[in-house]
Amino acid sequence: MRRCLCASFLAAALLALPTGAALGQAVTPDWPCVQRLVPELALGQVWSGPPASGHGWQTDPETASLALELARRKMPLDAAGEAIASFAAGVPADQRAARLADLAKGVLELINGARADMIRGIRRYAQRQQALATRIAEESHGLKGLPPGRGSEVPPELAERKEQRDWDLRVYEDRQALLRQLCEEPVLLEQRAFALGRMMAANLP
Amino acid sequence: MTKRALPVAAMALLLAGAAAEAREIYVSNEKGNSITIIDGASLEVSATVPVGNRPRGIALSPDGRHLYICASDDDIIQVLDTQSRKIVAQLPSGPDPELLDLSPDGSLIYVANEDDNMVTVVDVASRNVVAEIPVGVEPEGMGVSHDGRWVVNTSETTNMAHFIDSESLEITDNVLVDQRPRFAEWTSDDAEVWVSAEIGGTVSVIDAAARGVTHKIAFSVQGVPREAVQPVGVRVTRDRSLAFVALGPANRVAVVDAQTYEVLDYLLVGQRVWQLAFSPDEAFIYSTNGVSNDISVIDVEARKVLRSIGVGRFPWGVAVRD
């Protein structure tokens, strides 16, 4: 399969694969993932508690520091739940709702920033893949114009250019597999944002 | 599960609806290619049954014995025996079956074929296709009236609700609704059909006799951009007091007064909330949440989300039996 340069493979490669239609979704131009593109998450999608205090979550060091920790995926969700509960317990009851709302806002802003970077990265990566796919198509087309040689003898130029084309194809396929993994990342962060919002809501008075 | 060991007579009593512990919730997992079965009393997952590819719309037979599953990428309807929890038969469906609904007696299944612009009618007993009805582009929503006389299909691209006469199997009326209609729900008295529009962001209430839209319900969720409010699944209580509307990536279920058409509340459930189903006693309504891979349990009277239950990947359809 890997070495097979069939027409259907190239056709798929050159289409640059916005495959959202496969899941009955509207296709977003230049978005290479099967996952639906969600450019930004709104606070109301993850939080239905009271509004934020308006002071800005960065102004309170404890809130800001916890928001940074929670937004990073290094912290497992179980630990995040404990950290949120401990934060809420340390806040006077009459301020708890507003402080949790600030925390929710901070976490979402940080996650939105990280997701935006990811989405830009995925788009750049896909553009490079598109360029490589075009090159492979040109290389394949060029091979057809070369004399095939006699019997089992393959002319050196044909062998060399075929090797280059096969190498590019292999690189393309490897990167395509990585792209599929990258496409999962914004969704994972979207899921994390919601899960954290739920945990914060569970600590509302 | 102890239930399997029960004698047949005791099982019949349970199925008669006497025991709440017999309740089961079925969820199709679009990417997980499975059906999750949840015990309605403990709200724990009791089984995960592998099924065909891309299961979406599901519906129970009137006696609760069989769950019909649209295996969209296999172009068939699978039949799950709810006692043995095994796939026991398959029915033809036409290409890309997405949603299905049954005639009140359970003898016919109406299937929306998304890729084929058709509604396929399947006879359950003979396992044959008895009719293919041409409809609009990308048919999706399917709703059979409670008297079995009318079938409403919605077509996503044509933006219409098609009224199909179940006797002549022909479209008699087309009602224009908002963009990308997804779901059709008949009220229990067959007086109204509620049709959601995913892109339009509305629910159109159609007077079933007059074949016209009488009310249009719009949704506005604080802190959520308008384009993320995408109505999909709709359910109306039997007494027509309340309606529940799943709002897709807004992650909310809207609670609507079904008499005044006023939106009363927006409940935060899970991510990309898709379809809804009541428990038979309508004490609870369950939502499938496609991105957070869970379902939410909502207390209907209290209008509160009680809890979420993790299921398979991309939960899509939901059905409940006692």
Side-chain angles (χ1 to χ4, degrees):
Chain A
M1 177 68 197
R2 166 158 287 204
R3 301 289 186 273
C4 167
L5 188 67
C6 51
S8 61
F9 171 87
L10 265 183
L14 289 168
L15 282 172
L17 314 172
T19 45
L23 284 177
Q25 302 161 2
V27 173
T28 308
D30 85 344
W31 179 242
C33 303
V34 70
Q35 293 82 352
R36 182 186 287 251
L37 173 64
V38 180
E40 193 176 55
L41 307 172
L43 188 58
Q45 287 169 296
V46 300
W47 175 254
S48 62
S53 68
H55 301 311
W57 58 272
Q58 299 95 331
T59 57
D60 175 59
E62 198 187 351
T63 308
S65 144
L66 182 56
L68 275 167
E69 270 191 87
L70 294 173
R72 288 191 195 116
R73 278 184 297 171
K74 268 193 293 187
M75 180 183 256
L77 279 178
D78 287 350
E82 287 166 20
I84 291 167
S86 163
F87 171 84
V91 176
D94 61 338
Q95 297 171 26
R96 197 173 295 152
R99 293 281 298 277
L100 283 167
D102 284 349
L103 184 63
K105 190 164 186 285
V107 167
L108 190 72
E109 281 179 21
L110 291 166
I111 285 183
N112 268 333
R115 285 184 81 258
D117 288 345
M118 267 176 197
I119 289 166
R120 273 194 297 275
I122 289 169
R123 282 199 155 117
R124 273 199 304 272
Y125 197 91
Q127 283 162 3
R128 287 202 294 271
Q129 279 292 81
Q130 174 83 46
L132 182 55
T134 304
R135 192 167 93 199
I136 292 168
E138 287 167 358
E139 287 167 348
S140 296
H141 185 71
L143 288 175
K144 287 183 193 161
L146 291 177
R150 291 183 183 170
S152 60
E153 187 190 331
V154 180
E157 189 189 355
L158 177 60
E160 194 180 316
R161 285 174 61 175
K162 191 167 179 304
E163 190 181 347
Q164 177 63 47
R165 191 276 316 271
D166 287 353
W167 176 254
D168 283 345
L169 186 57
R170 182 175 173 178
V171 170
Y172 178 90
E173 288 179 341
D174 286 349
R175 288 183 183 168
Q176 206 60 17
L178 181 60
L179 180 61
R180 282 192 287 275
Q181 288 175 33
L182 288 175
C183 283
E184 293 286 341
E185 298 294 311
V187 179
L188 292 174
L189 266 187
E190 188 183 345
Q191 289 170 331
R192 184 175 178 86
F194 190 85
L196 292 170
R198 227 178 218 171
M199 289 171 179
M200 291 177 222
N203 284 279
L204 282 170
Chain B
M1 185 98 190
T2 53
K3 199 170 63 178
R4 283 188 188 164
L6 287 174
V8 174
M11 182 57 76
L13 278 176
L14 286 174
L15 286 176
E21 59 270 23
R23 178 169 298 162
E24 285 191 328
I25 304 157
Y26 301 87
V27 178
S28 61
N29 300 304
E30 182 183 7
K31 277 195 177 174
N33 297 334
S34 60
I35 297 288
T36 300
I37 304 176
I38 298 163
D39 181 274
S42 68
L43 297 180
E44 299 287 337
V45 172
S46 51
T48 302
V49 183
V51 297
N53 288 302
R54 204 181 175 202
R56 290 192 284 175
I58 55 175
L60 283 158
S61 58
D63 63 4
R65 279 293 307 276
H66 295 118
L67 182 77
Y68 301 106
I69 305 158
C70 288
S72 299
D73 282 358
D74 293 339
D75 298 337
I76 53 165
I77 293 168
Q78 292 183 305
V79 184
L80 177 81
D81 184 313
T82 54
Q83 302 302 303
S84 68
R85 295 176 170 175
K86 290 191 183 334
I87 299 292
V88 292
Q90 68 180 47
L91 304 171
S93 66
D96 197 17
E98 177 161 358
L99 261 172
L100 78 179
D101 201 3
L102 276 69
S103 59
D105 63 0
S107 65
L108 296 174
I109 299 178
Y110 299 89
V111 189
N113 299 120
E114 189 176 16
D115 278 358
D116 198 31
N117 307 337
M118 290 278 184
V119 166
T120 298
V121 188
V122 182
D123 181 85
V124 174
S126 69
R127 297 183 189 171
N128 283 328
V129 171
V130 293
E132 287 180 320
I133 307 161
V135 290
V137 180
E138 286 192 88
E140 168 114 7
M142 287 299 319
V144 182
S145 61
H146 296 84
D147 64 4
R149 183 74 179 80
W150 297 98
V151 179
V152 167
N153 164 253
T154 66
S155 51
E156 272 184 33
T157 306
T158 318
N159 300 332
M160 281 181 179
H162 309 287
F163 281 74
I164 300 166
D165 183 329
S166 67
E167 288 170 9
S168 69
L169 296 176
E170 287 183 356
I171 294 175
T172 62
D173 298 274
N174 297 301
V175 179
L176 198 62
V177 292
D178 284 341
Q179 211 180 342
R180 202 182 264 257
R182 277 280 189 178
F183 196 82
E185 166 84 342
W186 287 82
T187 53
S188 63
D189 55 4
D190 288 337
E192 292 178 344
V193 186
W194 291 45
V195 175
S196 60
E198 187 184 11
I199 304 296
T202 58
V203 168
S204 292
V205 180
I206 298 171
D207 181 321
R211 305 282 202 260
V213 174
T214 53
H215 297 90
K216 204 164 268 190
I217 304 163
F219 304 92
S220 172
V221 187
Q222 193 179 8
V224 178
R226 158 68 195 83
E227 63 272 16
V229 177
Q230 298 175 4
V232 186
V234 182
R235 295 292 178 193
V236 184
T237 55
R238 275 188 293 273
D239 64 2
R240 274 180 67 183
S241 60
L242 291 176
F244 293 80
V245 182
L247 297 180
N251 305 340
R252 308 282 182 128
V253 168
V255 187
V256 180
D257 182 320
Q259 295 294 313
T260 64
Y261 309 99
E262 180 194 355
V263 182
L264 304 173
D265 210 344
Y266 295 101
L267 307 174
L268 188 67
V269 284
Q271 290 170 292
R272 198 163 182 247
V273 52
W274 210 241
Q275 295 291 347
L276 301 166
F278 283 115
S279 57
D281 60 6
E282 295 188 343
F284 304 103
I285 188 165
Y286 308 92
S287 71
T288 52
N289 312 319
V291 172
S292 47
N293 296 328
D294 59 359
I295 70 163
S296 295
V297 182
I298 299 167
D299 182 320
V300 169
E301 195 182 342
R303 294 186 226 147
K304 280 211 171 341
V305 181
L306 298 181
R307 60 176 289 184
S308 76
I309 305 162
V311 292
R313 293 185 67 209
F314 268 65
W316 200 100
V318 56
V320 190
R321 75 169 178 90
D322 274 346

